Amino acid sequence: TPMYKKILVAIDDSATSRIALAEAIHIARTSNAKLYITHVVDETLLNMHGHAKLDMGSSDDAAVSLSAAGKKLLANALQEADGVDAEAILLEAFKRGIADNINEKAKELDVDLIIIGRHGRRGLATMILGSVAEQLAKIADASVLLVRKH
């Protein structure tokens, strides 16, 4: 029997995430596993990057743009996962942290493996995503694969 039946990969728009996605697709293919591709729209980022609000008008507009960007990211990821049984899930981290959100969804879907890039975008978000990966590794019941940029 294959080691993994259900795999969840969490992505953002970083280069490391692209590597994590490619790895997830590869593992899903070789294990003949179901692949859940998730992206967390993190509202708290709006408050941290004040300039995002200025660029996008009100925070409602900003939330809508973040959500639209997330959906586009997931649509592209699904295209890449051609030939794999894949499903895209947009998660929203309004109150809880990103790691908690991903972990909760992973539990709900009963996944065997969670894949996430070790670092996100440059600057502030890198620290956030780096710590998300580490937090996830601590709290998840499933195995966690932290993918690095080679």
Side-chain angles (χ1 to χ4, degrees):
T1 52
M3 214 167 139
Y4 303 116
K5 292 185 188 76
K6 294 180 182 176
I7 298 167
L8 183 146
V9 59
I11 61 169
D12 65 1
D13 60 0
S14 66
T16 320
S17 264
R18 281 193 285 281
I19 299 167
L21 176 64
E23 185 74 7
I25 291 167
H26 171 70
I27 296 172
R29 226 174 238 136
T30 52
S31 311
N32 208 2
K34 166 96 186 187
L35 179 63
Y36 297 99
I37 305 170
T38 63
H39 171 70
V40 183
V41 176
D42 186 16
E43 293 292 299
T44 56
L45 282 177
L46 290 178
N47 307 330
M48 287 168 43
H49 301 286
H51 61 85
K53 274 195 170 150
L54 297 177
D55 292 348
M56 299 189 262
S58 76
S59 58
D60 284 350
D61 292 347
V64 167
S65 320
L66 273 184
S67 167
K71 283 177 183 153
K72 194 177 168 195
L73 193 69
L74 288 174
N76 291 341
L78 272 181
Q79 277 185 314
E80 215 175 302
D82 193 40
V84 170
D85 180 12
E87 189 181 311
I89 302 170
L90 191 70
L91 299 170
E92 290 183 346
F94 290 109
K95 298 285 174 276
R96 284 157 318 150
I98 300 178
D100 284 330
N101 245 286
I102 295 168
N103 185 45
E104 228 167 74
K105 184 47 83 172
K107 274 186 181 158
E108 185 191 308
L109 297 168
D110 195 24
V111 305
D112 320 289
L113 179 66
I114 299 169
I115 301 175
I116 186 169
R118 177 63 187 72
H119 275 302
R121 287 167 292 230
R122 291 172 294 287
L124 193 55
T126 303
M127 297 182 336
I128 297 167
L129 272 158
S131 70
V132 166
E134 277 143 26
Q135 265 174 287
L136 204 49
K138 284 195 191 97
I139 63 175
D141 295 332
S143 297
V144 178
L145 174 61
L146 304 184
V147 177
R148 292 177 186 281
K149 203 174 164 190
H150 306 302

